[in-house]
Amino acid sequence: MNSLDRRGFLKIASAAGAAAALAACGGPSTSGGPAAAATVDYTGVTPAPEITWWSSNPGGSEPVSREIIEAFHRSQSGIRVNLVTAGAHYEEIAQRFQTAQAGGAGNLPDIVLLSDVWWFRYYMQRSIVDLTPLTAALGWDLSDYRQGLVDDYSYDGKLWAIPWARSTPLFYYNKAHWAAAGLPDRAPETWAEFAEWGPRLQAAGTGVQKAFQNPALADYAGWSFQNNLWGEGGGWSSDWTVTTDAAGSVKALQHLQDAVYTGGWAGVASTDGVTDLGAGAVSSTIGSTGSLVTLLKAATFDVGAGFLPKGPVTGPVCPTGGAGVGIPAAITPERQLAAATFIRFLTTPENTVKMSAATGYMPVRTSADISSLVATAPQRQVAIDQLTVTRVQDRARVFLPGADQEIARSAANILTQRADVATEMGTLEKTLEGIYTTDVQPNI
């Protein structure tokens, strides 16, 4: 994966120049960080006639995005939308957007796809706009959006993106392998229960490499392992306090390591655990709901799906994830208003169902009619039901620049190099604290 790590991000940010990122700022910040962007008054503003949307088309969503754009054009004649594939994945589009800051408003898109681990960097640079005044100007009621998904983009009492390609992790399994092992047709309720099931699956004679495949660490360790940490009462952080070395966090990673080395029934995906499951190489994995459509097409067996397993500590253990759409702060109010007008259309209940049908991402509106989705793939109902028990991600993962890569590096040391868990998690704590102190605290 062509990741942009913390050092790469900071280098690009320096090249772009703080002045460019803060060009639209004014007034003192009450938080002690950089000056807050001035609130724009959209009274009397006429939307720009043409806007550009930068996307990486997550989940192969380009066809449905273009379909929605054409429907928007038919619904009105004042605004035209150009869709630009600005990167192959979240990191590439983030890098392109960051670099564009140096060229001024003329080089910026009007709408940009913002992943869960990238949008906060642009908040710190003041390079994306607070959407609250735009929703007010358009009379845009957000009460029908799933509150947990909206909360992911809220900070300092303001809203910085609208949910679009949103997901949660799901527990996926091969129903035939479950039957061969004499297991009930459901996901394990707890990790302790799965620790009993794993050896039975491994010994069931199904010919798989492993009963369970941990997700590819570079893509998913920081995201999906929150489930394991939260279930043990740990986490990557609590508010701004890094907690990777807390007892619950260490215990959760020790259980994962034991399943790989001591139990021998769990492996680690080199590229994609869902692909491994779809190919029949493993019996189960955890993957994004955004992978559901691809998995159902690839699998030659009945695919089971369930909630993420719980731990001994009570509380939600499923993180949300994916991407939303935001608007640059440096573009004109006319462009901002046009962009918001299209985003409102993009995320109507009908269009969010279209997105979900094409990709497996979550319908982001509570009033969305999901009957057609569930009729074609009952597993979707599991994913939608799990939204009621999700939890906003730890700030250490999504708000610290480059933290996701640092977490993945530590997870790889633990699960592929058998590093001492307590030592590795202690080292990670110091690394993440350093990122917060140097790169985040001065900017919030």
Side-chain angles (χ1 to χ4, degrees), residues 11-24:
K11 182 177 180 181
I12 292 171
S14 176
L22 301 174

Side-chain angles (χ1 to χ4, degrees), residues 6 10 396 399-404 406 428-442:
R6 171 175 166 256
L10 294 173
F399 285 2
L400 304 188
D404 210 28
E406 299 292 351
L428 178 61
E429 187 271 339
K430 292 181 177 61
T431 299
L432 298 187
E433 282 285 356
I435 295 174
Y436 171 73
T437 301
T438 303
D439 304 334
V440 175
Q441 191 174 29

Side-chain angles (χ1 to χ4, degrees), residues 294-315:
T294 300
L295 175 59
L296 293 176
K297 289 179 180 178
T300 58
F301 53 85
D302 286 338
V303 175
F307 284 18
L308 298 189
K310 299 177 182 177
V313 176
T314 303

Side-chain angles (χ1 to χ4, degrees), residues 22-39 126 158:
L22 301 174
C25 297
S29 169
T30 58
S31 66
T39 300
R126 310 306 191 253
K158 299 174 182 178

Side-chain angles (χ1 to χ4, degrees), residues 42-61:
Y42 295 97
T43 303
V45 173
T46 300
E50 186 169 359
I51 56 174
T52 299
W53 173 19
W54 280 9
S55 180
S56 61
N57 308 312
S61 57

